[in-house]
Amino acid sequence: MGNSGLKQHLENSSKTGVFQLKDASLSELPPELLQIAQTLRTLDLSGNKIEQLPSKISSFNMLKHLTLNKNRLGIIPSELGQLTKLETLILSSNRLTSIPPTLSKLRNLKLVNLSDNRLTTFPLEFCDMKHLDVLDLSMNKMTEVPAGVGKLQVVELNLNQNQIQLLSDELAECQRLKTLRLEENCLQMISATILKESSISLFAVDGNLFDSKDLMKADGYTQYMERYTATKKKMY
């Protein structure tokens, strides 16, 4: 996009609060965006070639929706944690190996998508966020869901296509958690504590080291099926 095109784009965005520039081969956040940083509510730069975000990302502190999927981000600056109005954070299909602790300040998040990255540890920074409904961590390289996860407030947690071998029984303490996706991992079985005591009414577990027959014989399966059936009845 030429300078005149970008200028027109900026003018429009200053009125609408939305800046969207997808698949434009951008290698960085356009510096001109800083001119309307306080105006923007939605920023979508998906499908570009951005490798890092500047520390000045903190200037966009009115943003509610940030989408940067399909870029080349290897790191998230700690300053992103200053965007406390964020409700949607989509950083899927990048090269992230970790997230900064400052993201725990983003208390208004409702949806976070970090799928298809290179995360090796479960990001406990998203625990205790009372508005967070969906956390998508599929297609990463995590091997366990650790202690501390009991404070997670999400309704749906997607961990499909990781390398998870261990689930903390603290998942049973997640009162809002209804859907847990664990397809294509390395689990031997779901523990009796999670099956019996959790609020989870839908487990997606195909592609692990056990099959559906094993699960049906597991201690706690009956209690899980009671929750599953009750949820189905509510839907119809």
Side-chain angles (χ1 to χ4, degrees), residues 177-189:
L177 185 59
K178 303 299 180 188
T179 301
L180 179 57
R181 302 188 185 281
L182 286 162
E183 294 181 350
E184 295 182 48
N185 277 284
C186 306
L187 290 166
Q188 301 276 357
M189 182 47 69

Side-chain angles (χ1 to χ4, degrees), residues 18-60:
V18 177
F19 186 90
Q20 191 176 62
L21 192 55
K22 302 195 282 189
D23 303 312
S25 296
L26 297 175
S27 58
E28 63 177 9
L29 199 75
E32 295 87 350
L33 273 179
L34 286 166
Q35 299 167 19
I36 57 169
Q38 293 295 302
T39 308
L40 289 183
R41 301 295 183 271
T42 299
L43 177 57
D44 184 349
L45 296 173
S46 53
N48 283 289
K49 299 176 181 178
I50 299 169
E51 295 186 12
Q52 61 182 22
L53 297 174
S55 59
K56 287 183 179 179
I57 192 73
S58 60
S59 302
F60 296 82

Side-chain angles (χ1 to χ4, degrees), residues 3 23 36 47 55 64 73 83 103 109 117 124-125 129-130 137 196 217-219:
N3 283 343
D23 303 312
I36 57 169
S55 59
K64 288 191 172 184
L73 294 170
L83 308 188
L103 293 201
L109 283 173
N117 275 286
L124 292 172
E125 287 82 2
M129 291 186 175
K130 292 180 172 55
L137 300 170
K196 287 180 180 179
K217 295 175 186 174
D219 186 15

Side-chain angles (χ1 to χ4, degrees), residues 77-209:
S78 60
E79 288 81 3
L80 195 69
Q82 295 178 37
L83 308 188
T84 53
K85 294 185 185 295
L86 270 187
E87 295 178 6
T88 305
L89 179 61
I90 300 177
L91 297 169
S92 52
S93 300
N94 277 284
R95 301 171 182 179
L96 300 172
T97 55
S98 64
I99 65 164
T102 52
L103 293 201
S104 63
K105 297 176 184 176
L106 303 180
R107 314 297 289 179
N108 289 304
L109 283 173
K110 295 178 180 177
L111 181 147
V112 173
N113 189 336
L114 289 167
S115 67
D116 190 22
N117 275 286
R118 301 172 186 178
L119 301 176
T120 55
T121 56
F122 188 96
L124 292 172
E125 287 82 2
F126 295 114
C127 288
D128 227 5
M129 291 186 175
K130 292 180 172 55
H131 304 290
L132 186 59
D133 291 325
V134 178
L135 178 57
D136 189 343
L137 300 170
S138 59
M139 293 187 283
N140 277 285
K141 299 178 183 298
M142 291 177 285
T143 57
E144 69 171 322
V145 178
V149 76
K151 292 183 178 180
L152 197 64
Q153 303 284 326
V154 297
V155 177
E156 177 170 339
L157 176 59
N158 190 339
L159 293 164
N160 287 347
Q161 291 180 272
N162 275 274
Q163 298 162 19
I164 293 170
Q165 302 170 36
L166 183 64
L167 296 178
S168 169
D169 279 346
E170 285 188 25
L171 279 170
E173 299 169 17
C174 301
Q175 295 300 309
R176 294 182 73 220
L177 185 59
K178 303 299 180 188
T179 301
L180 179 57
R181 302 188 185 281
L182 286 162
E183 294 181 350
E184 295 182 48
N185 277 284
C186 306
L187 290 166
Q188 301 276 357
M189 182 47 69
I190 308 294
S191 78
T193 300
I194 294 174
L195 286 172
K196 287 180 180 179
E197 299 174 17
S198 75
S199 299
I200 300 165
S201 54
L202 176 63
F203 283 101
V205 293
D206 287 348
N208 279 279
L209 303 180

